[in-house]
Amino acid sequence: MDLYLGIDFGTSGARAIVIDDQACIQAEVRYPWDSSSISDLVTSWQTALLTLLTYIPDELRREIRAIAINGTSSTVLLSDGNGQPVDTPLLYNDARGSVMLEHLRNIAPPNHTVLSATSSLAKLLWMSQLPTFSQAKYFLHQADWLAFLLHGVLGISDYHNALKLGYDVEQLKYPEWLEKLQITIQLPKVLPPGTPIAKLRPEIAKQFAFPDDCLVCAGTTDSIAAFLASGAKLPGQAVTSLGSTLVLKLLSRTRVEDSRYGIYSHRLGDLWLTGGASNTGGAVLRQFFTDAELESLSREIDSSKASPLDYYPLLKAGDRFPINDPNLPPRLTPRPDNPVEFLHGLLESISRIEARGYELLQQLGADLLTHVYTAGGGATNKTWAAIRRRNLKVRIKASANTEAAYGTALLAMRGGLETGDWGSGRVRE
């Protein structure tokens, strides 16, 4: 029996799923982040990766033929020629690159995806001013570096992670305007997601009892992996990921790009995943409520009635979509004494941001929204689903599979987005 491994590095933890050649799950393991992980990201990522491998049963590891990894979009780092990080990675929501936007606007096309404070390219330009930059040879995304730990080949990425670096996903090459930045380190070679890169390092294969010919494939981002897992396959179908953040992906025949609103499109066969990511979401809910409180208080909310509270729930100033403003202040007042009313206001407000996002995508030319699949931890909250259905006015259902690791395992199994069902813009359920 041939098996395939997908590994997801999300905002709340790392997960791994093993599937067979019929796409049935054979094993699922998790590694949650803890507060100490924040101080040493590189060590925690490496520990999580190797720990997940040990959690997979030996008898399954021996049958795994291919592995793919996803990471959070625009989580990036610099490494030396040996793959050793030279400084602390910058996370997906780090907006220090905002100081480079004026310089970027003079070079990048108007409203380009890179013209965002959190884009990979804005981060790279900011990092180029650090004293440690002189030690760097490679610029890598989180998924790139984690895959390197397994296959040992530096400087390889995929066109989902490379989009916010400025890579042209229509022409499948770096654009000429990017060369004008005169970046002095090596940008990644970009492959279609899921493309086999190399065999596992022999020492990794031996340590964990993988087959000697087990392949490591080009990865993707966590939100696209969740889309691939969802069951969405037709233009007009969308996936909302209700995790720590809110991510919208609408399958469209038209590519939509507009940095003014934090909107970008990823290539998926001959269709486009257009959408954006907001910093609102589950992380804000968990600032005020435990999981148990979220579950019990949600049952007391009358989801048929709109909350009068108008919030913009953020942990700190700044959002990316549908408002792209690194200084946008959180709005969490007035706060009622009744926790049920407060939670209702938060769920309602996040739902309004979601609806505003899909409306904006359609106004800019994306296909008409017909159906929303839901992934992430928030997908299980029935009250929230009812509030969202009232705001979105379309059918809502949980994704066929809600785990991004599952979508990543599908990539490993199918050998990439340019082959098989995805090559024609269709995703097999």
Side-chain angles (χ1 to χ4, degrees):
M1 178 174 61
D2 289 343
L3 301 178
Y4 304 89
L5 172 60
I7 301 174
D8 163 42
F9 272 70
T11 53
S12 59
R15 301 168 183 81
I17 287 179
V18 178
I19 63 173
D20 62 21
D21 49 17
Q22 299 300 310
C24 297
I25 295 175
Q26 300 298 310
E28 183 173 356
V29 294
R30 298 171 180 266
Y31 184 96
W33 303 131
D34 57 39
S35 56
S36 64
S37 300
I38 305 302
S39 59
D40 187 355
L41 290 171
V42 167
T43 300
S44 66
W45 292 351
Q46 187 166 7
T47 299
L49 177 62
L50 299 179
T51 303
L52 286 174
L53 297 183
T54 65
Y55 286 169
I56 298 167
D58 292 356
E59 63 273 16
L60 297 183
R61 287 203 301 266
R62 284 192 282 267
E63 304 298 330
I64 291 174
R65 299 298 168 191
I67 302 169
I69 301 176
N70 77 64
T72 49
S73 178
S74 291
T75 293
V76 298
L77 68 157
L78 298 169
S79 86
D80 63 18
N82 297 315
Q84 184 66 31
V86 301
D87 211 326
T88 304
L90 297 188
L91 293 175
Y92 64 96
N93 59 351
D94 193 305
R96 280 177 278 187
S98 61
V99 297
M100 308 306 301
L101 288 180
E102 185 174 350
H103 177 46
L104 262 181
R105 287 190 188 99
N106 294 327
I107 297 169
N111 302 324
H112 195 280
T113 309
V114 299
L115 297 174
S116 163
T118 58
S119 77
S120 299
L121 186 56
K123 290 186 175 83
L124 171 56
L125 295 182
W126 183 85
M127 295 164 91
S128 71
Q129 299 180 321
L130 299 175
T132 50
F133 191 73
S134 61
Q135 306 166 35
K137 184 174 181 181
Y138 294 98
F139 178 77
L140 301 168
H141 303 89
Q142 180 186 36
D144 308 340
W145 185 74
L146 289 165
F148 154 75
L149 295 179
L150 297 184
H151 58 58
V153 183
L154 276 167
I156 305 291
S157 190
D158 63 90
Y159 64 54
H160 287 158
N161 274 294
L163 177 74
K164 296 179 185 177
L165 182 56
Y167 186 77
D168 187 333
V169 294
E170 284 194 274
Q171 300 297 320
L172 297 179
K173 64 180 183 179
Y174 285 107
E176 291 182 6
W177 63 260
L178 193 55
E179 297 175 5
K180 296 179 183 177
L181 288 170
Q182 298 181 330
I183 296 166
T184 58
I185 64 170
Q186 189 165 322
L187 296 181
K189 177 184 177 182
V190 180
L191 301 174
T195 303
I197 297 171
K199 295 177 183 178
L200 271 176
R201 294 178 190 237
E203 62 270 26
I204 295 286
K206 183 178 179 181
Q207 179 182 354
F208 295 98
F210 284 103
D212 292 339
D213 60 352
C214 178
L215 294 169
V216 183
C217 304
T220 183
T221 65
D222 56 345
S223 61
I224 293 185
F227 187 97
L228 299 178
S230 70
K233 56 185 177 180
L234 299 173
Q237 295 183 341
V239 172
T240 295
S241 295
L242 294 175
S244 299
T245 59
L246 172 72
V247 183
L248 311 187
K249 299 287 184 190
L250 173 60
L251 198 55
S252 175
R253 287 163 289 199
T254 304
R255 183 183 184 185
V256 177
E257 302 268 337
D258 199 323
S259 68
R260 293 174 301 171
Y261 305 108
I263 293 171
Y264 52 93
S265 289
H266 281 285
R267 182 172 177 160
L268 188 65
D270 58 3
L271 297 176
W272 296 93
L273 280 181
T274 183
S278 171
N279 293 334
T280 194
V284 184
L285 299 178
R286 286 193 173 90
Q287 185 181 28
F288 300 105
F289 303 102
T290 65
D291 287 350
E293 287 170 337
L294 286 171
E295 184 177 348
S296 63
L297 294 174
S298 292
R299 288 197 291 264
E300 298 183 46
I301 294 172
D302 183 352
S303 59
S304 67
K305 296 181 180 178
S307 169
L309 297 169
D310 183 22
Y311 298 145
Y312 204 104
L314 298 169
L315 288 178
K316 60 181 181 180
D319 202 10
R320 301 170 283 165
F321 166 84
I323 299 173
N324 188 13
D325 179 358
N327 301 309
L328 184 72
R331 190 169 68 246
L332 292 163
T333 57
R335 180 173 176 175
D337 294 332
N338 186 334
V340 175
E341 292 178 18
F342 184 47
L343 177 58
H344 189 183
L346 291 172
L347 296 179
E348 188 84 42
S349 297
I350 296 173
S351 300
R352 289 170 184 155
I353 293 171
E354 179 188 9
R356 181 176 179 178
Y358 281 123
E359 288 167 4
L360 189 55
L361 295 176
Q362 293 166 96
Q363 288 169 10
L364 293 173
D367 277 68
L368 183 68
L369 181 69
T370 61
H371 190 126
V372 176
Y373 292 83
T374 310
T380 61
N381 189 316
K382 294 181 179 178
T383 302
W384 201 358
I387 292 171
R388 294 172 53 233
R389 191 176 297 111
R390 171 165 46 76
N391 280 285
L392 292 171
K393 299 178 176 61
V394 298
R395 186 183 176 198
I396 291 176
K397 66 178 292 187
S399 295
N401 192 296
T402 62
E403 292 293 350
Y406 180 79
T408 312
L410 291 177
L411 266 186
M413 181 181 76
R414 294 174 183 172
L417 288 178
E418 303 302 304
T419 61
D421 295 335
W422 286 325
S424 59
R426 295 186 299 272
V427 180
R428 185 172 64 193
E429 290 193 87

